[in-house]
Amino acid sequence: MLNDLQIARSAQLKPISDIAKNLSIPKEYFKNYGDYIAKISHKFLNTLNSKKGKLIIVTAMTPTPAGEGKTTTSIGLSMALNKLGYKSFVTLREPSLGPVFGVKGGAAGGGYSQVLPMEDINLHFTGDIHAVSAAHNLISAMIDAHIRFGNELDIDLTRITWPRTMDMNDRALREIVVGLGGHANGYPRQDQFVITAASEVMAVLCLSKDIIDLKKRLGDIVIGWSRTGKPITVRELGADGAAAVILKDAIDPNLVQTIENTPALVHGGPFANIAHGTNSIIATKMALGLSEYVVTETGFGSDLGAEKFFDFVAQLADLKPAAVVIVATIRAIKYHGGVSIKDLEVENLEAITKGIENLKIHIENMRKYNLPIVVAVNRFNTDTEKEIQHLINYVEKLGVKVSLNEAFAKGSEGTIDLARKVIEIADESKFKPIYNWDLPIEKKIEILAKEIYRAKEVVYTKDALDSLKRFSKEGFSSLPVIVAKTQYSLSDDPSKLGAPNDYSFTVRDLRLSAGAGFVVAVCGEIMLMPGLGKKPNAVNIDIDENGNITGLF
């Protein structure tokens, strides 16, 4: 059997200019990055009717180390919609180098359901993520320069909240000291690095509607507090214009294609466990204006990416999702039923009966948004017919459509049934978020904790209460809440598998993302800078004398 790389290299790609021509994208809005990648000017969006297409959100049950295949399902679904005669786009986030070289490997789908050219997409792509890093670190450098030369803004060195960033996993940079080496190097202070996907600049890029909105949002970013307790912004530092200049090309969505030549926009890359977890609003709206169906993947399980899309992104961008696809696997269900990773390939109906409670909660949660649902069972070759039928029977008894998805092995052919079922329900949406932004911060957190995470109560640490009081005083209480928590459990504790309930949900701290327009509730032990494992994926990646890359998957 061919591996992902061999399948990708055997694909018959069309010149990206041909893809753009078929989409009727005028040349003045189109910029080639080689033969198979292009940027589409964000200004092109102004010429389109973004209400034209139907938006299909792909999410999943709670992730496991075995992998669920959301990206593969999203790509396959979009290709299948095209095969059925509909114009369809898939919109995805850009892969971060940290996970690519860490534990995850490539993030461009797999098998016969990939976006291509996958090597370029996984490695630097068009430089968007590096531009985010540079804009972020320009702000960091200007903070220290401002302090070094008089500190006119009276920045409190102990209350600077703006870190530094890089697009790589490096645990040694989580907590650092900068400014050592004497007066010429500035003032020593504690600092930290976060991975670029966790940068507020990344969130701002993905939420901006144009370059002027981008500059305004960059200016609104709060980098810390004065000694009298006032927020200090990037605009006050004078860094907003220069940061926007660095991002002038990064704001334009990237056009690529799937293995079957279905158009794809891959743009932006915020993580869902620490940010809002979806591709850019510009890319999604542009795709909606160019097609009948847009398939958008949201990060991790529905308690993270989908919830944030529905309660935050959709409201901000005036988007009305038409349906939601929940990706589930036999392997993930057995894992949540108590089976260890090494035993997932052994048939176990009892574990499915127990672990399926996790999927049930995700179904119930998505129903709270008044959205029609299809469960996509992403098939693995180790799944038995008894296990598959057991799962399908259970889901059907819940009154939910279910489809066996084989996009990995068969491409669009393996996703035709899923596409047909999505089409059947796409006009039934009565979408409605579960909370109003005008509610107090603590009330919004309570709704999420009890309705989505199934906790009995919310507990705040002293740091969280202090931040809550400060944010409310400064007028930020009406901002929506983005919860930063583990992706491996519905709760704030990664060890609580399955369907946890009747527990205390702890808010450790609150962080302000005023430029992005949300408050982050930090819950549990969440890492903003991942680390590499004992044997990271980087040891598998190599290149030969002909430039052939191996080990990305």
Side-chain angles (χ1 to χ4, degrees), residues 3-237:
N3 62 35
D4 289 345
L5 190 57
Q6 291 169 323
I7 292 170
R9 287 176 178 164
S10 67
Q12 299 298 310
L13 291 183
K14 294 181 179 180
I16 200 66
S17 55
D18 288 354
I19 300 289
K21 185 177 180 180
N22 291 338
L23 295 166
S24 300
I25 300 174
K27 288 184 178 179
E28 62 263 33
Y29 296 114
F30 178 83
K31 183 178 180 181
N32 275 86
Y33 276 65
D35 293 333
Y36 305 114
I37 301 171
K39 274 195 169 288
I40 310 301
S41 171
H42 67 279
K43 295 179 181 178
F44 180 51
L45 180 57
N46 296 329
T47 71
L48 301 172
N49 175 14
S50 62
K51 301 293 185 183
K52 175 184 173 184
K54 295 176 181 177
L55 182 58
I56 312 302
I57 300 300
V58 177
T59 185
M61 60 182 294
T62 302
T64 71
E68 283 62 59
K70 271 200 323 298
T71 306
T72 303
T73 302
S74 300
I75 297 166
L77 174 56
S78 185
M79 294 192 302
L81 288 164
N82 268 323
K83 179 162 273 193
L84 290 173
Y86 298 92
K87 290 183 178 179
S88 178
F89 252 95
V90 60
T91 57
L92 303 168
R93 291 171 294 163
E94 300 179 45
S96 163
L97 287 179
V100 168
F101 288 93
V103 296
K104 188 176 180 182
Y112 289 92
S113 187
Q114 301 186 48
V115 286
L116 303 174
M118 75 91 173
E119 291 153 292
D120 294 317
I121 293 170
N122 281 305
L123 299 172
H124 308 296
F125 203 15
T126 55
D128 293 346
I129 294 182
H130 295 314
V132 170
S133 298
H136 181 117
N137 289 330
L138 169 67
I139 296 169
S140 299
M142 289 186 71
I143 292 170
D144 286 302
H146 181 89
I147 294 169
R148 169 67 177 78
F149 294 104
N151 195 8
E152 293 179 11
L153 293 172
D154 195 32
I155 300 171
D156 185 341
L157 272 65
T158 67
R159 297 174 72 188
I160 296 172
T161 55
W162 190 252
R164 285 167 160 83
T165 193
M166 65 184 294
D167 188 32
M168 194 57 65
N169 296 359
D170 192 343
R171 62 171 47 81
L173 297 178
R174 288 172 183 162
E175 299 290 341
I176 61 172
V177 177
V178 297
L180 300 178
H183 182 66
N185 294 342
Y187 293 89
R189 65 178 180 87
Q190 274 192 290
D191 204 349
Q192 62 175 318
F193 272 79
V194 299
I195 194 166
T196 304
S199 166
E200 187 178 350
V201 175
M202 177 65 82
V204 162
L205 178 72
C206 291
L207 298 169
S208 298
K209 62 184 179 181
D210 54 35
I211 196 72
I212 298 303
D213 188 38
L214 173 67
K215 186 167 70 170
K216 178 190 178 299
R217 288 177 176 276
L218 289 168
D220 288 343
I221 290 172
V222 172
I223 59 90
W225 302 79
S226 72
R227 281 179 280 205
T228 57
K230 296 296 181 184
I232 306 295
T233 67
V234 167
R235 186 175 296 107
E236 290 175 288
L237 279 175

Side-chain angles (χ1 to χ4, degrees), residues 72-73 76-77 79 110-113 260 376-381 383 385 388 403-418:
T72 303
T73 302
L77 174 56
M79 294 192 302
Y112 289 92
S113 187
E260 296 182 15
V377 180
N378 193 21
R379 185 172 195 168
F380 284 73
N381 58 14
D383 300 340
E385 292 300 326
I388 292 169
S403 177
L404 188 62
N405 172 40
E406 298 184 88
F408 183 92
K410 299 178 182 178
S412 61
E413 252 335 295
T415 324
I416 291 290
D417 180 66
L418 175 60

Side-chain angles (χ1 to χ4, degrees), residues 404-546:
L404 188 62
N405 172 40
E406 298 184 88
F408 183 92
K410 299 178 182 178
S412 61
E413 252 335 295
T415 324
I416 291 290
D417 180 66
L418 175 60
R420 287 191 173 124
K421 285 174 177 170
V422 165
I423 292 165
E424 286 174 14
I425 65 171
D427 292 323
E428 299 173 8
S429 174
K430 294 184 173 78
F431 171 69
K432 184 180 179 181
I434 64 168
Y435 70 75
N436 188 306
W437 287 10
D438 291 333
L439 292 172
I441 293 173
E442 57 268 39
K443 183 61 178 177
K444 286 176 279 202
I445 294 174
E446 180 185 358
I447 290 172
L448 292 175
K450 292 184 176 180
E451 294 292 328
I452 303 298
Y453 312 138
R454 307 303 176 96
K456 68 176 180 180
E457 63 179 356
V458 180
V459 177
Y460 292 87
T461 66
K462 182 180 183 303
D463 287 343
L465 290 173
D466 289 344
S467 296
L468 183 63
K469 182 178 179 181
R470 183 164 65 251
F471 296 167
S472 298
K473 178 184 176 183
E474 294 298 330
F476 296 114
S477 61
S478 64
L479 293 179
V481 172
I482 294 295
V483 174
K485 75 171 189 71
T486 179
Q487 66 267 35
Y488 294 118
S489 172
L490 284 160
S491 73
D492 55 349
D493 180 352
S495 68
K496 288 185 169 71
L497 301 179
N501 60 71
D502 197 34
Y503 67 94
S504 297
F505 189 81
T506 302
V507 180
R508 273 200 305 119
D509 200 1
L510 294 171
R511 296 174 184 172
L512 179 63
S513 293
F518 53 73
V519 170
V520 179
V522 181
C523 307
E525 296 298 323
I526 188 73
M527 289 293 181
L528 300 183
M529 170 54 80
L532 294 176
K534 182 178 180 180
K535 189 179 179 182
N537 192 53
V539 303
N540 303 317
I541 297 174
D542 203 356
I543 189 169
D544 66 19
E545 67 275 11
N546 297 315

